[in-house]
Short mmCIF file of all heavy atoms in Angstrom, two decimals:
data_model
loop_
_atom_site.label_atom_id
_atom_site.label_comp_id
_atom_site.label_asym_id
_atom_site.label_seq_id
_atom_site.Cartn_x
_atom_site.Cartn_y
_atom_site.Cartn_z
N MET A 1 -26.48 -6.31 -27.78
CA MET A 1 -25.74 -5.80 -26.65
C MET A 1 -26.58 -5.57 -25.47
O MET A 1 -27.71 -5.11 -25.52
CB MET A 1 -25.08 -4.47 -27.12
CG MET A 1 -24.25 -3.84 -26.04
SD MET A 1 -23.49 -2.26 -26.51
CE MET A 1 -22.13 -2.87 -27.47
N SER A 2 -26.10 -5.99 -24.28
CA SER A 2 -26.85 -5.93 -23.05
C SER A 2 -26.85 -4.49 -22.48
O SER A 2 -25.85 -3.81 -22.57
CB SER A 2 -26.22 -6.89 -22.03
OG SER A 2 -26.88 -6.73 -20.78
N ASP A 3 -27.98 -4.11 -21.88
CA ASP A 3 -28.06 -2.81 -21.22
C ASP A 3 -27.60 -2.84 -19.78
O ASP A 3 -27.60 -1.87 -19.11
CB ASP A 3 -29.51 -2.28 -21.30
CG ASP A 3 -29.82 -1.82 -22.70
OD1 ASP A 3 -28.92 -1.49 -23.50
OD2 ASP A 3 -31.06 -1.78 -23.06
N GLU A 4 -27.28 -4.04 -19.32
CA GLU A 4 -26.90 -4.19 -17.90
C GLU A 4 -25.52 -3.62 -17.64
O GLU A 4 -24.61 -3.82 -18.45
CB GLU A 4 -26.86 -5.72 -17.49
CG GLU A 4 -28.21 -6.33 -17.32
CD GLU A 4 -28.10 -7.67 -16.76
OE1 GLU A 4 -27.31 -7.92 -15.84
OE2 GLU A 4 -28.86 -8.56 -17.21
N GLN A 5 -25.43 -2.88 -16.54
CA GLN A 5 -24.14 -2.32 -16.17
C GLN A 5 -23.37 -3.35 -15.34
O GLN A 5 -23.95 -4.23 -14.69
CB GLN A 5 -24.40 -1.12 -15.18
CG GLN A 5 -24.96 0.04 -15.84
CD GLN A 5 -24.99 1.19 -14.82
OE1 GLN A 5 -24.22 1.23 -13.86
NE2 GLN A 5 -25.91 2.10 -15.03
N PRO A 6 -22.07 -3.25 -15.38
CA PRO A 6 -21.24 -4.17 -14.53
C PRO A 6 -21.51 -3.72 -13.04
O PRO A 6 -21.77 -2.58 -12.77
CB PRO A 6 -19.83 -3.85 -14.91
CG PRO A 6 -19.86 -2.56 -15.63
CD PRO A 6 -21.23 -2.35 -16.16
N SER A 7 -21.46 -4.75 -12.22
CA SER A 7 -21.60 -4.43 -10.79
C SER A 7 -20.19 -4.45 -10.13
O SER A 7 -19.29 -5.09 -10.59
CB SER A 7 -22.48 -5.47 -10.10
OG SER A 7 -21.95 -6.74 -10.20
N VAL A 8 -20.12 -3.68 -9.09
CA VAL A 8 -18.84 -3.47 -8.34
C VAL A 8 -19.03 -3.97 -6.92
O VAL A 8 -20.01 -3.59 -6.26
CB VAL A 8 -18.45 -1.97 -8.41
CG1 VAL A 8 -17.19 -1.75 -7.61
CG2 VAL A 8 -18.31 -1.49 -9.84
N PRO A 9 -18.08 -4.71 -6.37
CA PRO A 9 -18.19 -5.13 -4.98
C PRO A 9 -17.84 -4.03 -4.02
O PRO A 9 -16.87 -3.30 -4.19
CB PRO A 9 -17.17 -6.27 -4.84
CG PRO A 9 -16.26 -6.14 -6.02
CD PRO A 9 -16.95 -5.34 -7.04
N ILE A 10 -18.75 -3.83 -3.04
CA ILE A 10 -18.53 -2.90 -1.94
C ILE A 10 -18.32 -3.68 -0.70
O ILE A 10 -19.10 -4.54 -0.36
CB ILE A 10 -19.76 -1.99 -1.76
CG1 ILE A 10 -20.16 -1.31 -3.05
CG2 ILE A 10 -19.57 -1.01 -0.62
CD1 ILE A 10 -19.10 -0.29 -3.54
N PHE A 11 -17.24 -3.34 0.01
CA PHE A 11 -16.86 -4.11 1.18
C PHE A 11 -16.85 -3.22 2.42
O PHE A 11 -16.45 -2.08 2.38
CB PHE A 11 -15.43 -4.69 1.01
CG PHE A 11 -14.90 -5.36 2.23
CD1 PHE A 11 -15.37 -6.57 2.66
CD2 PHE A 11 -13.90 -4.78 2.94
CE1 PHE A 11 -14.92 -7.23 3.73
CE2 PHE A 11 -13.35 -5.45 4.09
CZ PHE A 11 -13.86 -6.62 4.46
N CYS A 12 -17.46 -3.77 3.49
CA CYS A 12 -17.46 -2.99 4.79
C CYS A 12 -16.80 -3.99 5.82
O CYS A 12 -17.46 -4.92 6.24
CB CYS A 12 -18.82 -2.57 5.23
SG CYS A 12 -18.82 -1.68 6.78
N GLU A 13 -15.62 -3.61 6.26
CA GLU A 13 -14.91 -4.41 7.27
C GLU A 13 -15.66 -4.38 8.58
O GLU A 13 -15.74 -5.38 9.30
CB GLU A 13 -13.50 -3.98 7.40
CG GLU A 13 -12.65 -4.89 8.29
CD GLU A 13 -11.20 -4.50 8.25
OE1 GLU A 13 -10.67 -4.04 7.19
OE2 GLU A 13 -10.53 -4.64 9.30
N ALA A 14 -16.18 -3.25 8.93
CA ALA A 14 -16.91 -3.07 10.24
C ALA A 14 -18.11 -3.97 10.33
O ALA A 14 -18.38 -4.52 11.41
CB ALA A 14 -17.26 -1.62 10.48
N CYS A 15 -18.87 -4.08 9.22
CA CYS A 15 -20.06 -4.95 9.22
C CYS A 15 -19.76 -6.38 8.73
O CYS A 15 -20.61 -7.23 8.85
CB CYS A 15 -21.07 -4.30 8.25
SG CYS A 15 -21.73 -2.72 8.70
N ASP A 16 -18.52 -6.57 8.26
CA ASP A 16 -18.12 -7.89 7.69
C ASP A 16 -19.08 -8.27 6.60
O ASP A 16 -19.57 -9.43 6.54
CB ASP A 16 -18.05 -8.93 8.81
CG ASP A 16 -17.32 -10.18 8.29
OD1 ASP A 16 -16.44 -10.04 7.45
OD2 ASP A 16 -17.60 -11.29 8.80
N THR A 17 -19.38 -7.33 5.67
CA THR A 17 -20.27 -7.60 4.54
C THR A 17 -19.67 -7.16 3.28
O THR A 17 -18.83 -6.27 3.21
CB THR A 17 -21.62 -6.82 4.75
OG1 THR A 17 -21.33 -5.42 4.86
CG2 THR A 17 -22.36 -7.27 5.98
N THR A 18 -20.11 -7.83 2.20
CA THR A 18 -19.79 -7.43 0.87
C THR A 18 -21.04 -7.48 0.04
O THR A 18 -21.85 -8.40 0.19
CB THR A 18 -18.73 -8.42 0.30
OG1 THR A 18 -17.58 -8.40 1.05
CG2 THR A 18 -18.41 -8.01 -1.14
N THR A 19 -21.27 -6.47 -0.78
CA THR A 19 -22.42 -6.46 -1.67
C THR A 19 -22.00 -5.94 -3.02
O THR A 19 -20.93 -5.31 -3.15
CB THR A 19 -23.59 -5.60 -1.08
OG1 THR A 19 -24.73 -5.80 -1.87
CG2 THR A 19 -23.20 -4.12 -1.04
N ARG A 20 -22.75 -6.23 -4.06
CA ARG A 20 -22.43 -5.75 -5.36
C ARG A 20 -23.52 -4.72 -5.78
O ARG A 20 -24.69 -4.96 -5.57
CB ARG A 20 -22.34 -6.88 -6.38
CG ARG A 20 -21.24 -7.84 -6.04
CD ARG A 20 -21.12 -8.96 -7.06
NE ARG A 20 -20.55 -8.44 -8.34
CZ ARG A 20 -19.23 -8.40 -8.62
NH1 ARG A 20 -18.38 -8.83 -7.67
NH2 ARG A 20 -18.77 -7.95 -9.71
N VAL A 21 -23.06 -3.58 -6.37
CA VAL A 21 -24.06 -2.59 -6.84
C VAL A 21 -23.62 -2.18 -8.25
O VAL A 21 -22.45 -2.29 -8.64
CB VAL A 21 -24.03 -1.35 -5.86
CG1 VAL A 21 -24.52 -1.68 -4.50
CG2 VAL A 21 -22.67 -0.70 -5.84
N PRO A 22 -24.55 -1.70 -9.07
CA PRO A 22 -24.24 -1.25 -10.38
C PRO A 22 -23.18 -0.11 -10.34
O PRO A 22 -23.19 0.69 -9.40
CB PRO A 22 -25.54 -0.75 -10.92
CG PRO A 22 -26.61 -1.42 -10.13
CD PRO A 22 -25.99 -1.60 -8.78
N LEU A 23 -22.33 -0.07 -11.35
CA LEU A 23 -21.27 0.90 -11.42
C LEU A 23 -21.69 2.37 -11.17
O LEU A 23 -21.11 3.08 -10.42
CB LEU A 23 -20.52 0.80 -12.70
CG LEU A 23 -19.30 1.66 -12.92
CD1 LEU A 23 -18.23 1.38 -11.81
CD2 LEU A 23 -18.68 1.41 -14.28
N ASP A 24 -22.78 2.74 -11.78
CA ASP A 24 -23.34 4.09 -11.62
C ASP A 24 -23.77 4.44 -10.23
O ASP A 24 -23.90 5.59 -9.86
CB ASP A 24 -24.52 4.35 -12.58
CG ASP A 24 -24.02 4.60 -14.06
OD1 ASP A 24 -22.79 4.73 -14.25
OD2 ASP A 24 -24.92 4.66 -14.91
N ASP A 25 -24.07 3.40 -9.42
CA ASP A 25 -24.60 3.65 -8.04
C ASP A 25 -23.56 3.51 -6.98
O ASP A 25 -23.87 3.62 -5.79
CB ASP A 25 -25.74 2.68 -7.79
CG ASP A 25 -26.87 2.81 -8.75
OD1 ASP A 25 -27.06 3.97 -9.27
OD2 ASP A 25 -27.61 1.84 -9.01
N VAL A 26 -22.32 3.27 -7.31
CA VAL A 26 -21.28 2.98 -6.30
C VAL A 26 -21.13 4.03 -5.27
O VAL A 26 -21.16 3.86 -4.10
CB VAL A 26 -19.97 2.60 -6.97
CG1 VAL A 26 -18.80 2.56 -5.92
CG2 VAL A 26 -19.99 1.29 -7.68
N GLY A 27 -20.88 5.25 -5.73
CA GLY A 27 -20.65 6.39 -4.83
C GLY A 27 -21.78 6.63 -3.90
O GLY A 27 -21.58 6.77 -2.65
N GLU A 28 -23.01 6.63 -4.46
CA GLU A 28 -24.17 6.84 -3.60
C GLU A 28 -24.36 5.72 -2.58
O GLU A 28 -24.69 5.96 -1.44
CB GLU A 28 -25.39 6.94 -4.50
CG GLU A 28 -26.64 7.31 -3.73
CD GLU A 28 -27.82 7.50 -4.66
OE1 GLU A 28 -27.72 8.32 -5.69
OE2 GLU A 28 -28.81 6.82 -4.47
N ALA A 29 -24.11 4.46 -3.02
CA ALA A 29 -24.32 3.38 -2.08
C ALA A 29 -23.34 3.34 -0.97
O ALA A 29 -23.65 3.09 0.16
CB ALA A 29 -24.20 2.03 -2.93
N VAL A 30 -22.07 3.65 -1.30
CA VAL A 30 -21.03 3.73 -0.24
C VAL A 30 -21.35 4.87 0.75
O VAL A 30 -21.34 4.67 1.98
CB VAL A 30 -19.64 3.93 -0.84
CG1 VAL A 30 -18.57 4.24 0.25
CG2 VAL A 30 -19.22 2.67 -1.61
N ASP A 31 -21.71 6.02 0.21
CA ASP A 31 -22.08 7.16 1.10
C ASP A 31 -23.28 6.83 1.99
O ASP A 31 -23.27 7.13 3.13
CB ASP A 31 -22.34 8.41 0.27
CG ASP A 31 -21.07 9.00 -0.40
OD1 ASP A 31 -19.98 8.61 0.04
OD2 ASP A 31 -21.26 9.83 -1.28
N ARG A 32 -24.31 6.27 1.37
CA ARG A 32 -25.51 5.94 2.15
C ARG A 32 -25.21 4.94 3.27
O ARG A 32 -25.65 5.07 4.39
CB ARG A 32 -26.58 5.39 1.19
CG ARG A 32 -27.92 5.09 1.85
CD ARG A 32 -29.00 4.66 0.85
NE ARG A 32 -28.60 3.55 -0.01
CZ ARG A 32 -28.35 3.63 -1.34
NH1 ARG A 32 -28.57 4.79 -1.96
NH2 ARG A 32 -28.02 2.56 -2.00
N HIS A 33 -24.47 3.88 2.94
CA HIS A 33 -24.10 2.89 3.92
C HIS A 33 -23.36 3.50 5.12
O HIS A 33 -23.69 3.29 6.26
CB HIS A 33 -23.24 1.77 3.26
CG HIS A 33 -22.76 0.78 4.30
ND1 HIS A 33 -23.45 -0.40 4.55
CD2 HIS A 33 -21.67 0.76 5.13
CE1 HIS A 33 -22.80 -1.08 5.50
NE2 HIS A 33 -21.71 -0.38 5.82
N ASN A 34 -22.34 4.34 4.75
CA ASN A 34 -21.54 4.96 5.81
C ASN A 34 -22.35 5.96 6.64
O ASN A 34 -22.17 5.99 7.85
CB ASN A 34 -20.34 5.65 5.19
CG ASN A 34 -19.28 4.60 4.74
OD1 ASN A 34 -19.20 3.50 5.28
ND2 ASN A 34 -18.56 5.01 3.70
N GLU A 35 -23.23 6.70 6.03
CA GLU A 35 -24.09 7.61 6.76
C GLU A 35 -25.05 6.90 7.71
O GLU A 35 -25.20 7.23 8.87
CB GLU A 35 -24.90 8.52 5.83
CG GLU A 35 -24.09 9.61 5.20
CD GLU A 35 -23.56 10.65 6.19
OE1 GLU A 35 -24.27 10.98 7.19
OE2 GLU A 35 -22.44 11.09 6.00
N GLN A 36 -25.69 5.85 7.17
CA GLN A 36 -26.76 5.17 7.93
C GLN A 36 -26.21 4.25 9.04
O GLN A 36 -26.79 4.15 10.09
CB GLN A 36 -27.63 4.35 6.98
CG GLN A 36 -28.48 5.19 6.08
CD GLN A 36 -29.30 4.32 5.11
OE1 GLN A 36 -29.12 3.14 4.97
NE2 GLN A 36 -30.20 4.99 4.40
N LEU A 37 -25.03 3.67 8.78
CA LEU A 37 -24.56 2.67 9.70
C LEU A 37 -23.32 3.04 10.50
O LEU A 37 -23.03 2.44 11.54
CB LEU A 37 -24.27 1.35 8.97
CG LEU A 37 -25.51 0.71 8.26
CD1 LEU A 37 -25.08 -0.48 7.44
CD2 LEU A 37 -26.50 0.34 9.30
N HIS A 38 -22.62 4.05 10.06
CA HIS A 38 -21.36 4.42 10.71
C HIS A 38 -21.23 5.92 10.94
O HIS A 38 -20.07 6.42 11.03
CB HIS A 38 -20.19 3.95 9.86
CG HIS A 38 -20.26 2.47 9.53
ND1 HIS A 38 -20.15 1.51 10.48
CD2 HIS A 38 -20.44 1.81 8.39
CE1 HIS A 38 -20.30 0.30 9.98
NE2 HIS A 38 -20.47 0.46 8.65
N ASP A 39 -22.34 6.66 11.12
CA ASP A 39 -22.34 8.06 11.38
C ASP A 39 -21.42 8.89 10.45
O ASP A 39 -20.79 9.80 10.86
CB ASP A 39 -21.92 8.31 12.82
CG ASP A 39 -22.95 7.78 13.84
OD1 ASP A 39 -24.16 7.79 13.55
OD2 ASP A 39 -22.54 7.31 14.92
N GLY A 40 -21.36 8.47 9.16
CA GLY A 40 -20.62 9.14 8.19
C GLY A 40 -19.09 8.72 8.10
O GLY A 40 -18.42 9.20 7.20
N GLU A 41 -18.64 7.93 9.06
CA GLU A 41 -17.24 7.49 9.02
C GLU A 41 -17.05 6.57 7.80
O GLU A 41 -17.88 5.74 7.54
CB GLU A 41 -16.92 6.81 10.33
CG GLU A 41 -15.43 6.44 10.39
CD GLU A 41 -15.07 5.86 11.80
OE1 GLU A 41 -15.88 5.91 12.71
OE2 GLU A 41 -13.99 5.29 11.88
N GLU A 42 -15.96 6.77 7.12
CA GLU A 42 -15.71 6.03 5.89
C GLU A 42 -15.27 4.56 6.20
O GLU A 42 -14.08 4.31 6.34
CB GLU A 42 -14.70 6.71 5.03
CG GLU A 42 -15.20 8.04 4.53
CD GLU A 42 -14.16 8.70 3.56
OE1 GLU A 42 -13.23 8.03 3.10
OE2 GLU A 42 -14.37 9.86 3.34
N MET A 43 -16.21 3.68 6.34
CA MET A 43 -15.93 2.33 6.64
C MET A 43 -16.11 1.45 5.40
O MET A 43 -15.26 0.67 5.08
CB MET A 43 -16.89 1.76 7.74
CG MET A 43 -16.79 2.60 9.04
SD MET A 43 -15.14 2.49 9.76
CE MET A 43 -15.12 0.84 10.41
N ALA A 44 -17.26 1.61 4.69
CA ALA A 44 -17.52 0.87 3.45
C ALA A 44 -16.71 1.47 2.34
O ALA A 44 -16.52 2.68 2.33
CB ALA A 44 -18.98 0.83 3.11
N GLN A 45 -16.26 0.62 1.41
CA GLN A 45 -15.49 1.13 0.32
C GLN A 45 -15.53 0.07 -0.83
O GLN A 45 -15.93 -1.05 -0.63
CB GLN A 45 -14.03 1.34 0.70
CG GLN A 45 -13.33 0.08 1.20
CD GLN A 45 -11.90 0.29 1.62
OE1 GLN A 45 -11.38 1.34 1.34
NE2 GLN A 45 -11.38 -0.68 2.31
N VAL A 46 -15.15 0.55 -2.05
CA VAL A 46 -15.00 -0.37 -3.14
C VAL A 46 -13.84 -1.34 -2.79
O VAL A 46 -12.89 -0.94 -2.19
CB VAL A 46 -14.67 0.39 -4.41
CG1 VAL A 46 -14.29 -0.62 -5.58
CG2 VAL A 46 -15.82 1.29 -4.82
N ASP A 47 -14.07 -2.57 -3.08
CA ASP A 47 -13.00 -3.58 -2.82
C ASP A 47 -11.68 -3.00 -3.29
O ASP A 47 -11.56 -2.63 -4.49
CB ASP A 47 -13.31 -4.90 -3.55
CG ASP A 47 -12.35 -6.00 -3.31
OD1 ASP A 47 -11.15 -5.77 -3.59
OD2 ASP A 47 -12.71 -7.02 -2.85
N PRO A 48 -10.66 -2.87 -2.40
CA PRO A 48 -9.43 -2.29 -2.78
C PRO A 48 -8.75 -2.87 -4.03
O PRO A 48 -8.17 -2.12 -4.83
CB PRO A 48 -8.54 -2.43 -1.58
CG PRO A 48 -9.47 -2.63 -0.42
CD PRO A 48 -10.67 -3.29 -1.01
N ASP A 49 -8.80 -4.16 -4.20
CA ASP A 49 -8.20 -4.77 -5.39
C ASP A 49 -8.93 -4.32 -6.68
O ASP A 49 -8.31 -4.05 -7.66
CB ASP A 49 -8.27 -6.30 -5.31
CG ASP A 49 -7.33 -6.87 -4.18
OD1 ASP A 49 -6.36 -6.14 -3.88
OD2 ASP A 49 -7.62 -7.97 -3.71
N ILE A 50 -10.24 -4.22 -6.59
CA ILE A 50 -10.99 -3.75 -7.74
C ILE A 50 -10.72 -2.25 -8.02
O ILE A 50 -10.53 -1.89 -9.15
CB ILE A 50 -12.49 -3.97 -7.49
CG1 ILE A 50 -12.84 -5.43 -7.32
CG2 ILE A 50 -13.32 -3.35 -8.67
CD1 ILE A 50 -12.58 -6.30 -8.50
N ALA A 51 -10.65 -1.51 -6.96
CA ALA A 51 -10.31 -0.03 -7.17
C ALA A 51 -8.96 0.18 -7.80
O ALA A 51 -8.82 0.97 -8.73
CB ALA A 51 -10.39 0.69 -5.80
N ASP A 52 -7.98 -0.62 -7.38
CA ASP A 52 -6.64 -0.56 -7.98
C ASP A 52 -6.65 -0.97 -9.45
O ASP A 52 -6.07 -0.28 -10.32
CB ASP A 52 -5.63 -1.42 -7.22
CG ASP A 52 -5.27 -0.87 -5.87
OD1 ASP A 52 -5.56 0.33 -5.60
OD2 ASP A 52 -4.67 -1.64 -5.08
N HIS A 53 -7.38 -2.00 -9.77
CA HIS A 53 -7.51 -2.49 -11.10
C HIS A 53 -8.18 -1.42 -12.00
O HIS A 53 -7.75 -1.18 -13.11
CB HIS A 53 -8.25 -3.81 -11.20
CG HIS A 53 -8.31 -4.39 -12.52
ND1 HIS A 53 -7.20 -4.91 -13.17
CD2 HIS A 53 -9.35 -4.54 -13.37
CE1 HIS A 53 -7.60 -5.33 -14.35
NE2 HIS A 53 -8.90 -5.16 -14.53
N LEU A 54 -9.25 -0.85 -11.50
CA LEU A 54 -9.96 0.18 -12.25
C LEU A 54 -9.07 1.42 -12.50
O LEU A 54 -9.05 1.96 -13.61
CB LEU A 54 -11.27 0.63 -11.54
CG LEU A 54 -12.41 -0.37 -11.54
CD1 LEU A 54 -13.49 0.07 -10.62
CD2 LEU A 54 -12.90 -0.62 -12.97
N ALA A 55 -8.31 1.77 -11.52
CA ALA A 55 -7.41 2.93 -11.65
C ALA A 55 -6.37 2.63 -12.74
O ALA A 55 -6.07 3.45 -13.57
CB ALA A 55 -6.70 3.23 -10.32
N ASP A 56 -5.87 1.40 -12.75
CA ASP A 56 -4.87 0.97 -13.79
C ASP A 56 -5.46 1.08 -15.18
O ASP A 56 -4.86 1.55 -16.12
CB ASP A 56 -4.32 -0.40 -13.54
CG ASP A 56 -3.43 -0.55 -12.30
OD1 ASP A 56 -2.98 0.55 -11.84
OD2 ASP A 56 -3.24 -1.66 -11.84
N LEU A 57 -6.74 0.61 -15.32
CA LEU A 57 -7.42 0.66 -16.57
C LEU A 57 -7.66 2.09 -17.03
O LEU A 57 -7.50 2.36 -18.26
CB LEU A 57 -8.78 -0.06 -16.55
CG LEU A 57 -8.67 -1.61 -16.36
CD1 LEU A 57 -10.10 -2.15 -16.09
CD2 LEU A 57 -8.07 -2.24 -17.58
N ILE A 58 -7.97 2.96 -16.11
CA ILE A 58 -8.24 4.37 -16.49
C ILE A 58 -6.92 5.00 -16.89
O ILE A 58 -6.91 5.74 -17.89
CB ILE A 58 -8.85 5.10 -15.28
CG1 ILE A 58 -10.31 4.61 -15.09
CG2 ILE A 58 -8.81 6.63 -15.51
CD1 ILE A 58 -10.92 5.02 -13.75
N VAL A 59 -5.86 4.75 -16.16
CA VAL A 59 -4.54 5.33 -16.53
C VAL A 59 -4.13 4.86 -17.98
O VAL A 59 -3.68 5.69 -18.83
CB VAL A 59 -3.45 4.93 -15.56
CG1 VAL A 59 -2.05 5.16 -16.02
CG2 VAL A 59 -3.70 5.70 -14.27
N ASP A 60 -4.29 3.56 -18.22
CA ASP A 60 -3.99 3.08 -19.58
C ASP A 60 -4.91 3.68 -20.67
O ASP A 60 -4.40 4.05 -21.71
CB ASP A 60 -4.17 1.53 -19.61
CG ASP A 60 -3.09 0.81 -18.85
OD1 ASP A 60 -2.04 1.43 -18.58
OD2 ASP A 60 -3.25 -0.44 -18.59
N ASP A 61 -6.20 3.72 -20.35
CA ASP A 61 -7.14 4.26 -21.34
C ASP A 61 -6.89 5.72 -21.66
O ASP A 61 -7.01 6.13 -22.82
CB ASP A 61 -8.58 4.05 -20.82
CG ASP A 61 -9.66 4.40 -21.89
OD1 ASP A 61 -9.50 3.88 -22.96
OD2 ASP A 61 -10.54 5.21 -21.58
N LEU A 62 -6.51 6.52 -20.67
CA LEU A 62 -6.21 7.93 -20.90
C LEU A 62 -4.76 8.18 -21.36
O LEU A 62 -4.40 9.27 -21.73
CB LEU A 62 -6.50 8.75 -19.60
CG LEU A 62 -7.95 8.72 -19.09
CD1 LEU A 62 -8.06 9.45 -17.79
CD2 LEU A 62 -8.83 9.33 -20.15
N GLY A 63 -3.98 7.15 -21.38
CA GLY A 63 -2.60 7.30 -21.83
C GLY A 63 -1.77 8.17 -20.93
O GLY A 63 -0.87 8.82 -21.38
N LEU A 64 -2.04 8.17 -19.63
CA LEU A 64 -1.36 9.04 -18.67
C LEU A 64 0.10 8.68 -18.50
O LEU A 64 0.91 9.52 -18.07
CB LEU A 64 -2.12 9.04 -17.33
CG LEU A 64 -3.49 9.64 -17.41
CD1 LEU A 64 -4.17 9.50 -16.06
CD2 LEU A 64 -3.53 11.05 -17.94
N LEU A 65 0.44 7.45 -18.80
CA LEU A 65 1.87 7.03 -18.61
C LEU A 65 2.62 6.96 -19.93
O LEU A 65 3.82 6.61 -19.96
CB LEU A 65 1.94 5.69 -17.87
CG LEU A 65 1.39 5.69 -16.48
CD1 LEU A 65 1.47 4.31 -15.86
CD2 LEU A 65 2.06 6.71 -15.56
N ASP A 66 1.95 7.28 -21.02
CA ASP A 66 2.66 7.31 -22.32
C ASP A 66 3.72 8.40 -22.35
O ASP A 66 3.47 9.53 -21.95
CB ASP A 66 1.64 7.58 -23.44
CG ASP A 66 0.62 6.38 -23.58
OD1 ASP A 66 0.90 5.32 -23.05
OD2 ASP A 66 -0.41 6.63 -24.29
N GLU A 67 4.88 7.98 -22.87
CA GLU A 67 5.95 8.99 -23.03
C GLU A 67 5.75 9.70 -24.30
O GLU A 67 5.41 9.08 -25.37
CB GLU A 67 7.30 8.27 -22.95
CG GLU A 67 7.58 7.72 -21.55
CD GLU A 67 8.97 7.14 -21.45
OE1 GLU A 67 9.85 7.50 -22.25
OE2 GLU A 67 9.11 6.26 -20.59
N GLU A 68 5.99 10.92 -24.37
CA GLU A 68 5.88 11.71 -25.62
C GLU A 68 7.06 11.53 -26.46
O GLU A 68 8.17 11.35 -26.15
CB GLU A 68 5.73 13.20 -25.21
CG GLU A 68 4.60 13.46 -24.29
CD GLU A 68 3.30 13.93 -25.03
OE1 GLU A 68 3.41 14.39 -26.11
OE2 GLU A 68 2.26 13.70 -24.42
#
């Protein structure tokens, strides 16, 4: 089994850049980018399609939509 974490694409429309970072570093990377390059304004973010997909997986995994 590999110890490598999946990487997540981070997109910044203002900079017209996309980069991939390890899953555990996503929050810190987004915050650092926005602080350093955009005076803290929330410009960089996880690719919205990926964020939606992850949210769907979490909802399914936790059974949040399961009917009792």
Side-chain angles (χ1 to χ4, degrees):
M1 180 180 280
S2 175
D3 289 335
E4 285 189 41
Q5 289 186 25
S7 62
V8 177
I10 304 296
F11 175 70
C12 181
E13 189 172 325
C15 295
D16 195 29
T17 58
T18 301
T19 190
R20 296 183 74 87
V21 298
L23 184 59
D24 283 350
D25 299 333
V26 169
E28 185 178 307
V30 169
D31 290 344
R32 183 175 53 247
H33 176 93
N34 288 331
E35 283 296 324
Q36 292 177 349
L37 299 174
H38 304 295
D39 296 323
E41 188 175 346
E42 294 184 16
M43 302 298 285
Q45 61 182 346
V46 173
D47 181 302
D49 291 335
I50 299 295
D52 288 344
H53 183 69
L54 288 172
D56 290 344
L57 291 173
I58 291 167
V59 166
D60 287 344
D61 189 50
L62 296 176
L64 298 176
L65 296 179
D66 292 345
E67 293 184 24
E68 304 263 339

